[in-house]
């Protein structure tokens, strides 16, 4: 059977599973809609959290980015997992004990202020929208390559599916769908990883395989990483495993980005909200452990996949005549995500350091001397002739390693599971922020259960449309856009949540000004460096890492302003005391 | 007041666990994975340069263990102070 036929089967089967789960777990009350009734077992919640949070960026883009970045890829690996330590130790148990529906709920109650609640809800909506844009672009990439529909149609299909299961089942539907999506995405990531590890090193465990020796070919017997270092240097790149060389990020930048991603993870509203869905504080701690365990399975194989992909790509493409180019190369060339510009007219695909040409590939529609589609881009001075979009590495990997068609189809289904599970979690945050925090808590406290549920569903519909718009008009690279969302998450919530739990003296004025100045600085810096062409001026920290500085500003401003103004009222101190003690979390969910 | 003092002791112990575990968190990621990466790369763990291994894999294994340790320690502490559910 062809890859196409397998893809239709895999995508069809997995989507029917998600929709049947949604139908079985449809809800009738707001508690079910926002926190899945608060009774999700920790193991299931751990899986759902893992799927919720491992997005299109983790599944599709990350290994590809690492494969081109070498050592520096650690910013994503440590950054996106290390935040769970912060989440598990500093936030999850206490927010669960607090026991209401959303993050703005905690901010609004702890800082006894509607203004703080509104600032928090604007931050939550803003962070979630930035993030969901990246997911929809991910859905578009997967559909355009594997179902051979255009990107727009792919995004419409994705929108319809997400709307159906999150609108119907709310948090309950999302949770159980995410459990299924975790299983699909982890299998889809591991099966090719294991197969490729076996092929290259003879070791079935990818985590060990990439520190092992190469099994066959001209490099047989040498360690894979040593070989990669040698080959990289020969082609003009820096060594794969060495840090901070020329062309790499500086140490302070690596530190800042890792910190921004860690703290951002801990501050993402759609991740935090998951800890409201378990029955007790102990269950919240345990589900944080399951979440990191399930995430680590993917995150420790990703660097292995990255090094295998790099090795395979160089071996199967470099100095190969275009006429003999492998079929995966020709397949992906059609999508415009990979291209070859024959600068010296010798018909060989030469891969070297540097950019092959400026911009993204623009095909002229004509065919060159070797049958290659011609490009109208301006060539650069570098000897490199190959353009590869980093986002394709994971999706193309099974094809590069010549795995059977059903594996390739499974990877497509996995990429969709990763993108859709995260998108649904984010949509729920947007919907609950508006319908619960804004409408019910601020505008109309008399709203009936039925009205609130209805508004929640309408808001999911609106959010789906906005997300779809970004999917069709993508604002940039998947992983980069997500990185920005993390920066905004880091600079807005994390500091005031931590201070709210660990420092009783933190007050209303401090929190409001802390959030505003933190996110304000981060936004300003990102807009300056990303969109206005200003060079990164703050110690050379790149826009992806500036959230760490925004977080520090938020901490400082909150502390200074709190000390300058009057302490919070007595009942707030009592509330903080009670949040610190686990007993009684079950009873605290009522409003 | 007695109950209050007990809660203070509970909270203090919780903070101690937290500080110790967060120090390990910072050590495996920021110190081994970033600050000392070039020095550690002189050593090898099989085919892995050690600093590179911590940056791309070792630190993640450590994170899993840190959260497991926190879960176990806190479950015991909750029982000891009779605040469990």
């Amino acid at each position: 059977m062809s890859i196409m036929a397998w893809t239709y089967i895999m995508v069809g089967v997995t989507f029917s599973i998600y929709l049947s789960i949604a139908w079985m777990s449809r809800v009738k009350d707001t508690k079910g809609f926002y926190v899945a009734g608060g009774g999700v077992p920790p193991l299931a919640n751990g899986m759902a959290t893992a799927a919720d949070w491992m997005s299109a960026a983790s599944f599709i883009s990350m290994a590809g980015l690492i494969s081109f970045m070498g050592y520096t890829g650690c910013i994503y690996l440590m950054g996106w997992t290390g935040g769970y330590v912060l989440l598990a130790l500093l936030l999850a148990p206490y927010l669960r004990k607090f026991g209401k529906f959303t993050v703005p709920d905690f901010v609004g109650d702890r800082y006894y202020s509607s203004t703080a609640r509104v600032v928090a809800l604007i931050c939550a909506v803003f962070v979630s929208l930035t993030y969901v844009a990246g997911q929809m672009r991910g859905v578009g990439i997967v559909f355009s390559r594997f179902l051979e529909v255009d990107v727009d149609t792919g995004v419409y299909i994705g929108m319809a599916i997400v709307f159906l299961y999150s609108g119907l089942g709310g948090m309950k539907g999302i949770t159980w769908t995410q459990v299924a999506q975790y299983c699909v995405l982890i299998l889809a990531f591991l099966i090719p990883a294991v197969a490729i590890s076996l092929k290259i090193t003879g070791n079935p465990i990818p985590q060990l395989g990439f520190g092992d020796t190469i099994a066959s070919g001209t490099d047989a017997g040498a360690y894979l990483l040593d070989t990669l270092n040698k080959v990289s240097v020969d082609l003009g790149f820096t060594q794969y495993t060495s840090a901070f060389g020329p062309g790499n990020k500086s140490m302070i930048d690596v530190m800042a980005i890792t910190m921004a991603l860690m703290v951002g993870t801990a501050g993402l509203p759609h991740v935090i909200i998951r800890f409201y869905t378990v029955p007790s504080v102990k269950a919240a701690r345990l589900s944080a452990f399951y979440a990191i365990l399930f995430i680590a399975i993917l995150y420790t194989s990703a660097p292995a996949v990255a090094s295998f992909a790099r090795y395979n790509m160089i071996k199967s493409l470099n100095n190969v005549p275009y006429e003999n180019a492998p079929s995966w190369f020709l397949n992906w060339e059609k999508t415009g995500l990979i291209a070859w510009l024959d600068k010296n007219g010798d018909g060989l695909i030469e891969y070297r350091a540097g950019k092959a040409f400026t911009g993204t590939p623009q095909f002229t529609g004509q065919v060159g001397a070797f049958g290659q589609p011609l490009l109208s881009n301006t060539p650069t001075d570098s000897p490199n002739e190959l353009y590869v979009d980093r986002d394709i590495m994971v999706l193309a990997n099974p094809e590069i390693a010549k795995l059977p068609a059903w594996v390739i189809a499974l990877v497509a289904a996995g990429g969709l599971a990763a993108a859709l599970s995260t998108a649904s979690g984010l949509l729920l945050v947007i919907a609950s922020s508006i319908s619960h925090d804004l409408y019910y808590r601020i505008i109309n406290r008399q709203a009936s259960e039925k009205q609130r549920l209805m508004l929640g569903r309408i808001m999911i519909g609106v959010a789906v449309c906005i997300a779809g718009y970004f999917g069709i008009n993508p604002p940039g690279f998947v992983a980069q856009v997500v990185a920005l969302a993390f920066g905004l998450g880091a600079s807005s919530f994390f500091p005031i949540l931590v201070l709210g739990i660990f420092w009783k003296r933190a007050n209303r004025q401090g929190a409001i000004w802390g959030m505003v100045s933190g996110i304000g600085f981060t936004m300003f810096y990102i807009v300056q460096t990303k969109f206005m062409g200003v060079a990164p001026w703050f110690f050379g920290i790149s826009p992806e890492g500036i959230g760490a500085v925004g977080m520090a500003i938020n901490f400082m401003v909150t502390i200074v302003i709190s000390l300058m103004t009057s302490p919070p009222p007595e009942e707030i101190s009592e509330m903080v005391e009670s949040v610190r003690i686990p007993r009684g979390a079950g009873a605290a969910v009522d409003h | 007041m007695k109950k209050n003092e007990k809660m203070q002791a509970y909270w203090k112990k919780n903070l101690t666990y937290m500080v110790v575990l967060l120090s390990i968190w910072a050590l495996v990621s920021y110190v081994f994975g970033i600050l000392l990466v070039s020095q550690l790369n002189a050593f090898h763990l099989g085919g892995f340069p050690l600093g590179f291994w911590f940056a791309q894999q070792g630190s993640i294994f450590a994170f899993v263990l840190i959260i497991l340790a926190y879960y176990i320690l806190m479950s015991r502490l909750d029982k000891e102070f009779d605040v469990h559910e």
Side-chain angles (χ1 to χ4, degrees):
Chain A
M1 255 196 300
S2 69
I3 294 179
M4 266 280 265
W6 272 115
T7 309
Y8 275 107
I9 294 174
M10 290 282 182
V11 171
V13 168
T14 50
F15 278 27
S16 340
I17 296 175
Y18 307 153
L19 288 178
S20 353
I21 294 175
W23 179 251
M24 287 187 293
S25 48
R26 62 193 183 278
V27 290
K28 292 183 198 68
D29 58 1
T30 47
K31 198 180 164 201
F33 194 82
Y34 293 130
V35 293
V40 180
L43 184 73
N45 195 51
M47 279 192 195
T49 311
D52 198 343
W53 176 79
M54 285 195 288
S55 58
S58 299
F59 188 93
I60 300 173
S61 300
M62 190 178 65
L65 282 169
I66 299 168
S67 132
F68 287 88
M69 294 165 90
Y71 160 81
T72 315
C74 73
I75 54 181
Y76 298 118
L77 292 164
M78 290 196 293
W80 284 340
T81 51
Y84 267 82
V85 177
L86 299 175
L87 197 56
L89 271 55
L90 300 176
L91 299 178
Y94 310 109
L95 292 178
R96 175 60 194 88
K97 176 63 195 295
F98 170 72
K100 289 189 185 167
F101 289 168
T102 66
V103 177
D105 258 341
F106 179 81
V107 176
D109 286 10
R110 165 65 182 82
Y111 295 106
Y112 47 100
S113 150
S114 294
T115 316
R117 183 188 295 275
V118 172
V119 175
L121 94 86
I122 292 172
C123 294
V125 171
F126 200 84
V127 170
S128 307
L129 273 180
T130 320
Y131 203 129
V132 90
Q135 304 312 310
M136 283 302 173
R137 155 100 168 134
V139 174
I141 292 181
V142 179
F143 272 116
S144 79
R145 167 64 189 88
F146 290 98
L147 297 183
E148 291 178 21
V149 295
D150 54 304
V151 182
D152 297 6
T153 318
V155 174
Y156 292 133
I157 302 174
M159 282 164 68
I161 298 284
V162 177
F163 176 72
L164 272 178
Y165 69 71
S166 41
L168 202 62
M171 191 55 147
K172 200 170 161 208
I174 286 177
T175 302
W176 293 105
T177 326
Q178 281 171 339
V179 172
Q181 283 165 333
Y182 176 77
C183 300
V184 172
L185 83 86
I186 202 69
L187 277 177
F189 202 85
L190 283 185
I191 291 175
V194 169
I196 295 170
S197 185
L198 261 177
K199 244 182 184 158
I200 297 184
T201 65
N203 190 330
I205 302 167
Q207 282 85 345
L208 301 174
F210 86 118
D212 214 329
T213 52
I214 294 167
S216 61
T218 46
D219 307 313
Y223 280 120
L224 174 74
L225 290 172
D226 289 347
T227 314
L228 260 183
N229 279 341
K230 207 171 130 277
V231 175
S232 302
V233 172
D234 288 348
L235 297 181
F237 298 94
T238 46
Q239 285 199 0
Y240 189 77
T241 60
S242 71
F244 321 123
N248 278 343
K249 291 183 184 298
S250 66
M251 187 185 279
I252 185 163
D253 205 13
V254 171
M255 286 247 175
I257 297 177
T258 307
M259 179 62 86
L261 295 183
M262 280 184 178
V263 178
T265 288
L268 283 181
H270 72 290
V271 177
I272 296 178
I273 208 172
R274 290 236 57 96
F275 293 98
Y276 288 103
T277 63
V278 292
S280 68
V281 171
K282 192 178 168 188
R285 293 191 198 116
L286 186 58
S287 83
F289 165 68
Y290 281 127
I292 182 93
L293 183 69
F294 292 134
I295 289 165
I297 297 174
L298 190 143
Y299 269 68
T300 51
S301 356
V305 169
S307 59
F308 297 144
R310 179 116 187 115
Y311 178 76
N312 257 341
M313 197 191 86
I314 294 176
K315 285 284 155 184
S316 65
L317 282 188
N318 187 37
N319 294 338
V320 169
Y322 183 82
E323 282 119 341
N324 302 345
S327 63
W328 67 265
F329 182 88
L330 304 174
N331 284 338
W332 283 94
E333 203 174 33
K334 283 183 220 149
T335 64
L337 296 170
I338 195 164
W340 172 59
L341 183 66
D342 194 13
K343 288 178 179 167
N344 50 10
D346 63 356
L348 296 179
I349 302 168
E350 281 159 66
Y351 180 48
R352 302 288 182 272
K355 276 189 175 168
F357 45 77
T358 50
T360 52
Q362 305 295 326
F363 295 107
T364 57
Q366 287 157 307
V367 176
F370 304 94
Q372 83 273 30
L374 290 177
L375 295 153
S376 61
N377 302 65
T378 326
T380 57
D381 293 336
S382 114
N384 183 27
E385 301 182 341
L386 186 67
Y387 169 91
V388 187
D389 186 317
R390 288 150 202 223
D391 284 353
I392 72 171
M393 290 315 291
V394 167
L395 298 174
N397 217 7
E399 283 178 277
I400 299 178
K402 302 197 183 80
L403 298 180
W406 68 268
V407 179
I408 301 171
L410 181 64
V411 172
L416 289 171
L420 295 176
S421 59
T422 306
S424 57
L426 291 161
L427 293 172
L428 196 91
V429 167
I430 300 170
S432 61
S433 295
I434 304 214
S435 60
H436 174 78
D437 296 311
L438 186 66
Y439 180 72
Y440 174 62
R441 295 301 304 266
I442 294 174
I443 297 173
N444 180 9
R445 291 246 29 168
Q446 264 70 53
S448 72
E449 186 91 336
K450 220 175 153 190
Q451 280 174 316
R452 289 159 60 200
L453 204 57
M454 192 63 201
L455 188 69
R457 289 190 164 127
I458 293 172
M459 283 323 300
I460 286 197
V462 174
V464 164
C465 293
I466 300 173
Y469 172 81
F470 284 123
I472 291 161
N473 307 291
F477 250 37
V478 174
Q480 274 190 7
V481 172
V482 169
L484 298 184
F486 275 83
L488 299 178
S491 59
S492 56
F493 293 123
F494 182 76
I496 58 158
L497 290 179
V498 168
L499 288 174
I501 294 161
F502 292 90
W503 194 49
K504 285 189 214 165
R505 183 66 178 73
N507 70 9
R508 167 165 61 189
Q509 292 89 339
I512 295 170
W513 287 109
M515 279 193 286
V516 169
S517 57
I519 204 166
F521 171 79
T522 308
M523 284 270 291
F524 176 69
Y525 192 86
I526 290 173
V527 168
Q528 259 194 334
T529 49
K530 282 256 161 188
F531 303 106
M532 292 163 62
V534 178
W537 48 270
F538 196 88
F539 295 102
I541 292 175
S542 36
E544 286 78 9
I546 203 65
V549 183
M551 169 198 78
I553 293 177
N554 187 340
F555 264 117
M556 280 184 305
V557 171
T558 308
I559 291 171
V560 171
I561 304 265
S562 292
L563 289 175
M564 281 161 56
T565 44
S566 51
E570 190 55 33
E571 70 261 25
I572 298 299
S573 297
E574 276 164 26
M575 182 197 136
V576 177
E577 293 268 323
S578 92
V579 159
R580 293 175 178 180
I581 307 301
R583 180 168 283 176
V589 269
D590 201 26
H591 270 259
Chain B
M1 263 341 261
K2 199 159 172 258
K3 187 172 166 254
N4 212 339
E5 274 164 31
K6 211 175 109 185
M7 285 308 104
Q8 295 286 339
Y10 170 81
W11 185 243
K12 225 176 149 185
K13 254 197 156 155
N14 177 2
L15 291 180
T16 315
Y17 289 157
M18 215 179 72
V19 169
V20 171
L21 290 171
L22 283 181
S23 311
I24 302 173
W25 165 82
L27 187 76
V28 293
S29 53
Y30 291 96
V31 179
F32 291 168
I34 301 177
L35 269 177
L36 299 178
V37 64
S38 302
Q39 287 84 333
L40 288 177
N41 273 349
F43 303 94
H44 279 77
L45 192 76
F48 292 109
L50 195 58
F52 175 83
W53 181 77
F54 265 109
Q56 293 214 336
Q57 226 173 30
S59 54
I60 303 177
F61 291 132
F63 297 154
V64 176
L65 294 177
I66 290 170
I67 298 182
L68 180 63
Y70 184 70
Y71 169 72
I72 294 172
L73 287 171
M74 287 308 287
S75 295
R76 275 201 208 147
L77 193 67
D78 286 356
K79 281 220 179 86
E80 190 188 319
F81 282 86
D82 193 34
V83 290
H84 61 284
E85 289 175 278

